Amino acid sequence: MRPSPMAARAASGCSSAALAFFRLRPLARAARLAPAGRSAFGATAACRGRLVDSVLQELRSRRRVRVSARIGLQGTKELSDSKIEKRTIQKGLLLEFHKDSERSLLAVVERPDGKKNWVVTDQNGILSSIKPQQVTYVVPGTMDFDCSRIAEFLEKAQDLLDPTILECAWMELSEKDKSVTVEEFADIVYGSKESLESYCAHFLLSRDIVYFVKVESRGSSIYQPRPSAQVDELLRRKLAKEAADKELEEFVHLLKSAKALPLGSKPPKNSWLMEEKVKQKIESLQAYAVDACNDEQRRMAGNILKAMGFARTSSAALKLLINVGYFPVHVNLDLFRYDVQTTYTEKVLSVAEELLVDCPDSDKFKIPWVLFQHVRKDLSNLRVYAIDVDEADELDDALSATRLPDGRIKVWIHVADPTCFLQPRSILDREAMHRGTSIFLPTATFPMFPERLAMNAMSLQQGTDCRSVSVSVILHPDGSIAEYSIENSVIKPTYMLTYEGATELLYMNLEEEEDLRILQEAASIRAQWRRSQGSIDTAMIEPRIKVANPDDPEPNINLYVEDQTNPAMQLVSEMMILCGEAVAAFGSDNNIPLPYRGHPQSNTAVSAFAYLPEGPARSVANISVLRAAEMDFRKPVAHGVLGIPGYVQFTSPIRRYVDLLAHYQVKAFLRGESPPYSAGDLEGMTFIASMHVKVARKLHSNSLRYWLLEYLRRQPKGRKYRALILKFIKDRMATLLLVDVGIQVTTVVAAGKLGDEASVVVEMVHPRDDILSVTEIAQDTEE
């Protein structure tokens, strides 16, 4: 087993350090004394054996009388290796043991601890109880060792612990293919088997990862020289590790420097992503912070946190990333945890821009005697109301109404028509399917389509001719559908109203806004009709938050609490349900595959909760007994919760992909074409989109709750909140709704029943940890 050139070169590294340690001339000089015509490396190889022998011989002659004698250690030449290996642990012995996975300590045995364990005093003067399997080495010749002399023993050992000795010893032993015990190694290297030399030999061998490997033979530990090819590989790995350690040290320096800077001077996030090695490390910390890392990222992040002196936890990684300015204080980790796509590829953006330039309309066709035949009905003469939340960016729907000469009400639900820009299975369509929905967060909106397309060309715009699909319905006096139709249209929205603005107009009861009053009347009779069909009231108080400058440590939080019994909200809700019922009827009458939604009626009668006051408490009780929703893609299924015979979501094709699918199917029928998708196709695509919708809902819910908690955290301590008792969990432990905030919380209430009011104060709130604790205020202390 001859060392390879790489291993020989590595061994020559011991010539400067090890031979200087032995006070002998280096190998380089021996090479120069080689016969003429031979290379320096050849000379080195030729003299290697003689030189190593002389090194070891010189060492032995100089080390016969050791420092160990001067500190009174017993000689061990009379002890055989097997006896040393098999020594039983007893009081007074010096041994080495594993303190933990990273530390080994010297200690003196004090006394037994039970049947198997031992009490020891370690080098730090600490008493510990250790198990036999923790012992890594019993130092020979150390009977009745005084623990106060461990420090002196370690200090003397430092003079002998030169790791380059291993290289020279490996050169000799690998040529002879000889394995050795610790004590034999001590004798070869130091010329002595005494306590100090034996411990130093054990120390070097047990921590060596390149030259020797430990094997067991008849209960004794034997160290075998590794093959030269293996040494080559291990040396390569060692060099790589040293390089990685240096990179880690430099990265940690960057982190510490950034951490020390004031908030306004932190390096921008993109500066951490410019250099690949730095990018890998910062992204490993990011993945670790959101519990979404692979094994390599976990190892790298753990090493970084350890080097920074932090615990290896996700919260520590998050805190570090915030402190260096990589993350803002209120970073939404769910965006990384769920790998949410917040941007678009250049290809998708390019296609979107082309559509914005061309503005195609698939609902025009050419006939011989007319250049273009418009199949859109002109409804621009109607008064059109678009009602939505204040911060809405994508306007999908709008409403119109009139009273017919026979007294019946006719309403139009106008829906934006994005499919006039799109083709099924196109790049933009596939992109929308894999997003499933627009994502609405308190801090940002991530549209299903590229922003300029979604919020400009596709959306309804006030005072502008807009392409739409208009669903018109004539109602019977009882609120049921008498007639319906669906047609491509052009509308010109008259008003863009918020719910608050629309409600104010309704209360003003202006004569010129008769159409809005007719819409309210239609909504009212529709609600009555649905109740007669067994619909269930699920209206709740819903919070809405808008956060300005979310990257600031203390951003502005604007809280709105929506009462779904608000007249304008009820009006819009009833019209959207009416539209869904009409589209389902259209699909059924024309055998069109559509994503039909249904909900079986509960086994519990609606009247079961009539004793509860109308509002959140009754809604929660109703929701608690609902059965699972259903879908069919061939025919409508009854929607017991809404109290209608069938339902198709149709009114949000810019923000919901399943609505867009319904548009593709209906629009194809209106053109006289076969639907682009079969029932099986729809089921598969709905499943894909629904997975992304679930993630979007989770994102919205988590983000909303975080900012509600942040809002509560900023409120004056001791502020009282009005609450409603929604349900009892166990005994007097109840779920409450904070009416002025719209958030639910659990606490103990002293008295009251479902639907009753209570007063509470916030005791503790931690947004990042999702902690909210409140306490009821006793009635007699409220004043």
Side-chain angles (χ1 to χ4, degrees):
M1 190 194 312
R2 297 182 63 82
S4 69
M6 180 176 178
R9 287 195 299 274
S12 71
C14 78
S15 59
S16 300
L19 298 185
F21 177 75
F22 298 148
R23 292 184 174 82
L24 296 176
R25 67 187 183 186
L27 283 174
R29 184 178 173 189
R32 289 197 295 272
L33 298 177
R38 296 178 62 184
S39 69
F41 177 78
T44 302
C47 72
R48 180 176 55 207
R50 296 195 304 274
L51 184 59
V52 170
D53 287 342
S54 64
V55 166
L56 297 175
Q57 183 178 0
E58 176 72 11
L59 176 64
R60 293 188 189 100
S61 65
R62 295 185 182 189
R63 304 281 176 165
R64 293 301 178 188
V65 180
R66 295 302 307 149
V67 179
S68 57
R70 292 199 296 273
I71 61 174
L73 295 176
Q74 176 184 339
T76 61
K77 291 184 180 180
E78 70 279 4
L79 297 174
S80 69
D81 293 334
S82 62
K83 287 182 180 179
I84 292 171
E85 290 288 348
K86 297 178 181 179
R87 292 182 67 88
T88 57
I89 300 174
Q90 53 188 293
K91 180 179 179 180
L93 282 179
L94 180 65
L95 54 76
E96 183 188 73
F97 73 98
H98 278 313
K99 179 70 174 177
D100 50 43
S101 61
E102 298 180 353
R103 290 183 300 164
S104 293
L105 302 177
L106 281 180
V108 174
V109 180
E110 298 291 347
R111 62 182 182 275
D113 184 17
K115 293 183 178 180
K116 295 183 178 181
N117 297 350
W118 292 87
V119 173
V120 300
T121 301
D122 66 28
Q123 63 194 56
N124 299 316
I126 298 173
L127 277 174
S128 305
S129 178
I130 64 171
K131 300 176 181 179
Q133 55 265 38
Q134 287 179 259
V135 177
T136 53
Y137 187 64
V138 177
V139 181
T142 55
M143 295 296 294
D144 300 322
F145 195 87
D146 185 350
C147 62
S148 65
R149 293 161 57 201
I150 296 178
E152 183 184 1
F153 182 88
L154 287 172
E155 184 179 353
K156 300 297 183 183
Q158 289 302 314
D159 292 337
L160 305 181
L161 294 176
D162 186 342
T164 56
I165 293 172
L166 290 163
E167 304 167 3
C168 295
W170 176 79
M171 291 291 293
E172 179 180 29
L173 293 173
S174 62
E175 283 207 348
K176 298 176 182 178
D177 196 16
K178 181 181 178 181
S179 300
V180 291
T181 65
V182 169
E183 286 71 28
E184 286 173 340
F185 188 85
D187 194 36
I188 292 171
V189 173
Y190 299 119
S192 171
K193 296 182 180 181
E194 294 182 4
S195 304
L196 186 63
E197 287 79 5
S198 293
Y199 169 71
C200 291
H202 157 74
F203 187 95
L204 292 172
L205 288 170
S206 64
R207 290 154 178 80
D208 171 49
I209 60 171
V210 176
Y211 298 102
F212 292 90
V213 61
K214 184 178 180 180
V215 295
E216 297 293 330
S217 177
R218 299 178 185 176
S220 300
S221 294
I222 305 295
Y223 287 87
Q224 183 178 39
R226 295 180 188 270
S228 54
Q230 194 175 89
V231 169
D232 288 348
E233 174 61 20
L234 292 172
L235 283 171
R236 185 191 65 78
R237 293 183 186 179
K238 184 180 178 183
L239 291 173
K241 184 179 183 303
E242 289 171 354
D245 289 345
K246 184 179 179 182
E247 285 181 14
L248 175 62
E249 183 181 351
E250 293 172 348
F251 182 71
V252 168
H253 177 71
L254 283 176
L255 292 174
K256 290 181 177 178
S257 299
K259 188 170 177 287
L261 292 172
L263 186 62
S265 303
K266 304 282 187 186
K269 182 176 181 177
N270 61 357
S271 68
W272 296 94
L273 306 175
M274 296 173 66
E275 186 180 338
E276 186 60 31
K277 292 178 180 179
V278 173
K279 179 182 176 182
Q280 287 178 356
K281 291 178 177 59
I282 203 76
E283 288 182 343
S284 292
L285 280 174
Q286 174 180 300
Y288 196 84
V290 300
D291 296 319
C293 55
N294 56 38
D295 290 343
E296 176 58 24
Q297 289 174 324
R298 182 177 292 104
R299 182 196 63 79
M300 185 178 291
N303 290 340
I304 294 168
L305 291 170
K306 180 183 176 183
M308 289 292 294
F310 296 155
R312 296 180 181 181
T313 62
S314 57
S315 58
L318 173 61
K319 184 177 180 180
L320 175 58
L321 290 170
I322 290 174
N323 286 340
V324 301
Y326 182 78
F327 277 160
V329 173
H330 300 287
V331 61
N332 187 343
L333 294 180
D334 282 346
L335 293 174
F336 305 98
R337 189 172 286 123
Y338 296 116
D339 194 23
V340 176
Q341 298 300 310
T342 58
T343 58
Y344 290 87
T345 64
E346 288 298 323
K347 178 63 176 175
V348 170
L349 292 174
S350 174
V351 172
E353 289 300 318
E354 290 174 7
L355 290 177
L356 286 168
V357 172
D358 296 338
C359 292
D361 189 348
S362 59
D363 295 297
K364 295 178 181 179
F365 63 90
K366 189 173 181 180
I367 56 178
W369 59 90
V370 180
L371 181 60
F372 280 104
Q373 174 67 41
H374 289 262
V375 294
R376 294 189 178 276
K377 186 170 184 178
D378 186 1
L379 298 178
S380 58
N381 61 315
L382 293 177
R383 187 181 291 267
V384 177
Y385 299 88
I387 306 172
D388 212 327
V389 294
D390 185 29
E391 64 272 13
D393 296 313
E394 306 159 337
L395 294 173
D396 293 280
D397 51 74
L399 305 170
S400 299
T402 190
R403 194 179 302 278
L404 300 177
D406 61 7
R408 293 184 300 174
I409 294 175
K410 181 176 183 178
V411 299
W412 287 265
I413 301 96
H414 311 288
V415 184
D417 187 11
T419 59
C420 71
F421 293 92
L422 306 173
Q423 292 297 320
R425 302 181 180 88
S426 64
I427 290 176
L428 284 174
D429 173 72
R430 297 296 87 171
E431 181 74 18
M433 181 183 71
H434 288 291
R435 291 174 181 262
T437 180
S438 296
I439 298 175
F440 300 98
L441 304 178
T443 53
T445 297
F446 303 111
M448 187 171 73
F449 292 105
E451 185 173 327
R452 271 170 43 83
L453 191 62
M455 299 179 186
N456 295 318
M458 290 181 173
S459 286
L460 302 179
Q461 308 285 335
Q462 184 176 9
T464 302
D465 286 343
C466 301
R467 303 167 191 173
S468 64
V469 180
S470 294
V471 179
S472 62
V473 180
I474 298 175
L475 297 175
H476 284 303
D478 67 353
S480 60
I481 295 178
E483 302 174 28
Y484 70 84
S485 68
I486 302 178
E487 52 199 346
N488 296 307
S489 63
V490 175
I491 63 169
K492 183 179 289 186
T494 313
Y495 293 108
M496 294 292 187
L497 300 172
T498 63
Y499 288 115
E500 294 78 11
T503 297
E504 187 176 346
L505 274 180
L506 288 170
Y507 285 145
M508 291 171 68
N509 198 24
L510 299 174
E511 183 177 345
E512 58 268 28
E513 299 302 336
E514 181 183 0
D515 292 356
L516 187 60
R517 295 200 306 274
I518 294 173
L519 279 170
Q520 186 182 29
E521 182 182 343
S524 177
I525 63 174
R526 275 292 295 174
Q528 292 174 17
W529 179 80
R530 290 195 306 108
R531 279 195 293 271
S532 71
Q533 303 301 304
S535 68
I536 297 173
D537 181 17
T538 58
M540 287 289 291
I541 292 175
E542 297 288 347
R544 199 172 81 246
I545 276 185
K546 197 68 177 176
V547 179
N549 52 303
D551 288 346
D552 287 358
E554 291 286 325
N556 297 323
I557 302 175
N558 298 305
L559 172 66
Y560 312 89
V561 180
E562 295 177 346
D563 184 352
Q564 292 184 341
T565 61
N566 170 286
M569 294 195 75
Q570 286 191 320
L571 185 159
V572 172
S573 177
E574 286 297 337
M575 293 302 101
M576 299 303 104
I577 294 170
L578 176 61
C579 179
E581 183 185 350
V583 173
F586 182 83
S588 177
D589 291 345
N590 297 288
N591 297 314
I592 304 173
L594 289 171
Y596 299 101
R597 295 179 180 272
H599 214 134
Q601 286 192 328
S602 170
N603 294 326
T604 303
V606 177
S607 59
F609 303 115
Y611 71 94
L612 294 173
E614 285 190 13
R618 185 185 292 184
S619 294
V620 167
N622 286 331
I623 292 169
S624 68
V625 297
L626 291 182
R627 295 164 65 186
E630 298 176 347
M631 287 199 75
D632 196 295
F633 299 90
R634 292 173 175 81
K635 62 183 185 302
V637 288
H639 203 300
V641 175
L642 298 179
I644 55 179
Y647 181 67
V648 173
Q649 285 186 331
F650 194 76
T651 57
S652 297
I654 303 176
R655 63 181 80 174
R656 286 195 305 241
Y657 186 73
V658 175
D659 294 42
L660 188 72
L661 286 176
H663 275 243
Y664 282 137
Q665 302 292 92
V666 169
K667 293 287 295 295
F669 182 86
L670 294 178
R671 290 193 298 269
E673 301 170 359
S674 298
Y677 299 116
S678 67
D681 294 335
L682 290 176
E683 185 172 6
M685 290 186 291
T686 298
F687 176 78
I688 292 171
S690 295
M691 290 192 300
H692 297 284
V693 170
K694 288 179 182 177
V695 171
R697 287 175 179 165
K698 184 74 172 174
L699 276 167
H700 173 77
S701 174
N702 290 352
S703 183
L704 178 63
R705 182 170 175 84
Y706 175 88
W707 286 105
L708 287 173
L709 294 182
E710 177 65 16
Y711 172 84
L712 288 171
R713 185 187 68 83
R714 300 185 188 185
Q715 301 310 300
K717 189 171 180 60
R719 174 183 167 181
K720 299 174 186 178
Y721 296 91
R722 185 166 64 94
L724 289 177
I725 302 176
L726 297 182
K727 64 180 178 180
F728 287 100
I729 301 170
K730 184 179 180 181
D731 298 330
R732 301 304 300 176
M733 180 66 70
T735 298
L736 308 182
L737 173 68
L738 303 191
V739 177
D740 297 329
V741 183
I743 193 171
Q744 294 185 20
V745 65
T746 301
T747 192
V748 174
V749 292
K753 59 184 184 298
L754 294 179
D756 284 355
E757 288 195 6
S759 293
V760 299
V761 294
V762 173
E763 295 290 342
M764 179 171 57
V765 57
H766 295 296
R768 185 63 69 187
D769 299 321
D770 192 19
I771 294 174
L772 173 60
S773 174
V774 304
T775 302
E776 184 186 22
I777 302 174
Q779 295 295 325
D780 58 352
T781 65
E782 287 191 25
E783 297 303 324

